[in-house]
Amino acid sequence: GAGVSQSPSNKVTEKGKDVELRCDPISGHTALYWYRQSLGQGLEFLIYFQGNSAPDKSGLPSDRFSAERTGGSVSTLTIQRTQQEDSAVYLCASSLGQLFNSPLHFGNGTRLTVT
Amino acid sequence: AQSVSQHNHHVILSEAASLELGCNYSYGGTVNLFWYVQYPGQHLQLLLKYFSGDPLVKGIKGFEAEFIKSKFSFNLRKPSVQWSDTAEYFCAVNTGGFKTIFGAGTRLFVKA
């Protein structure tokens, strides 16, 4: 079946501009995650959504970052007034969500470059 | 806060060599443990997982990992690596909620 789909695959933007990154999870997966992968930094947790519960936003690095998930499916990560340090690969993952130990299924990521 | 440490950032091995990648986590309660792998040009995928029971778990492609609770460790092993094992390996911990924390990753290069 279809996996996690992310768009765009690459995004180059100028410092100060806003960007939106999109994630389509696997159908039926109730949990959705955003991570940031920077060179040498591993995967940094940003936010997750689980069903209709309030999202866990504890990993968002600043108030310039926000995310929403509409209809329990598609999610958008928005970065306002982008800075050069925001350059990274942004990964989305989804899981069945019924169990805490459900493995994550990752998309191919969006590579964001802020010039 | 919970954290995951992977000791080796880069490992270079020859084919047929044995592999052990270290992973330690900081959390005193019940944990779910994972190893994920990212092959060049591909997305992250699950290699193996531990939830409970036998602390020695086996995954795909001949990989195994051992959970040692007293050492807060979950090291990944493979007796004989192949060139196709060249990838980046991530250890991850879930401490009972939906939040999964990843280590910084270990880049493995296997020389043919």
Side-chain angles (χ1 to χ4, degrees):
Chain A
V4 176
S5 177
Q6 291 188 244
S7 61
S9 55
N10 282 283
K11 177 71 177 179
V12 180
T13 190
E14 292 180 352
K15 178 181 172 181
K17 301 283 189 182
D18 297 352
V19 294
E20 285 189 351
L21 313 179
R22 177 188 168 99
C23 173
D24 266 295
I26 293 173
S27 178
H29 281 194
T30 59
L32 186 147
Y33 306 74
W34 284 98
Y35 288 85
R36 180 167 68 176
Q37 186 176 20
S38 305
L39 192 62
Q41 300 297 315
L43 271 70
E44 177 188 5
F45 168 81
L46 298 177
I47 186 171
Y48 81 74
F49 300 85
Q50 166 52 24
N52 296 320
S53 303
D56 180 338
K57 305 179 181 180
S58 60
L60 294 178
S62 77
D63 58 8
R64 295 186 296 105
F65 287 72
S66 63
E68 63 177 20
R69 188 178 186 190
T70 54
S73 181
V74 172
S75 176
T76 302
L77 177 69
T78 301
I79 308 173
Q80 296 178 308
R81 306 181 302 282
T82 53
Q83 304 294 312
Q84 288 185 330
E85 61 263 28
D86 299 335
S87 295
V89 176
Y90 289 82
L91 293 171
C92 177
S94 68
S95 74
L96 283 171
Q98 283 90 347
L99 299 171
F100 299 140
N101 51 29
S102 297
L104 276 59
H105 298 259
F106 284 87
N108 286 325
T110 293
R111 182 175 297 278
L112 175 66
T113 304
V114 181
T115 61
Chain B
Q2 296 90 31
S3 65
V4 179
S5 298
Q6 292 184 239
H7 314 301
N8 311 99
H9 295 295
H10 293 90
V11 174
I12 301 174
L13 295 173
S14 297
E15 276 196 313
S18 64
L19 170 72
E20 181 160 3
L21 301 182
C23 173
N24 286 89
Y25 61 92
S26 64
Y27 185 72
T30 301
V31 292
N32 301 307
L33 299 159
F34 307 83
W35 276 96
Y36 286 82
V37 60
Q38 186 169 28
Y39 296 104
Q42 297 186 27
H43 61 269
L44 272 159
Q45 57 189 283
L46 182 70
L47 193 58
L48 50 76
K49 59 188 179 184
Y50 170 81
F51 303 146
S52 63
D54 188 345
L56 183 64
V57 292
K58 297 188 184 297
I60 60 173
K61 304 186 179 183
F63 286 90
E64 63 179 31
E66 184 175 14
F67 170 50
I68 302 179
K69 187 175 182 179
S70 61
K71 294 185 178 180
F72 300 93
S73 70
F74 190 56
N75 292 353
L76 181 70
R77 300 194 294 248
K78 185 171 183 178
S80 176
V81 295
Q82 301 174 313
W83 176 81
S84 57
D85 294 325
T86 294
E88 189 162 15
Y89 294 81
F90 293 89
C91 181
V93 173
N94 171 295
T95 58
F98 287 98
K99 186 173 176 178
T100 299
I101 304 298
F102 286 76
T106 298
R107 288 181 181 268
L108 171 66
F109 179 72
V110 180
K111 297 184 291 184

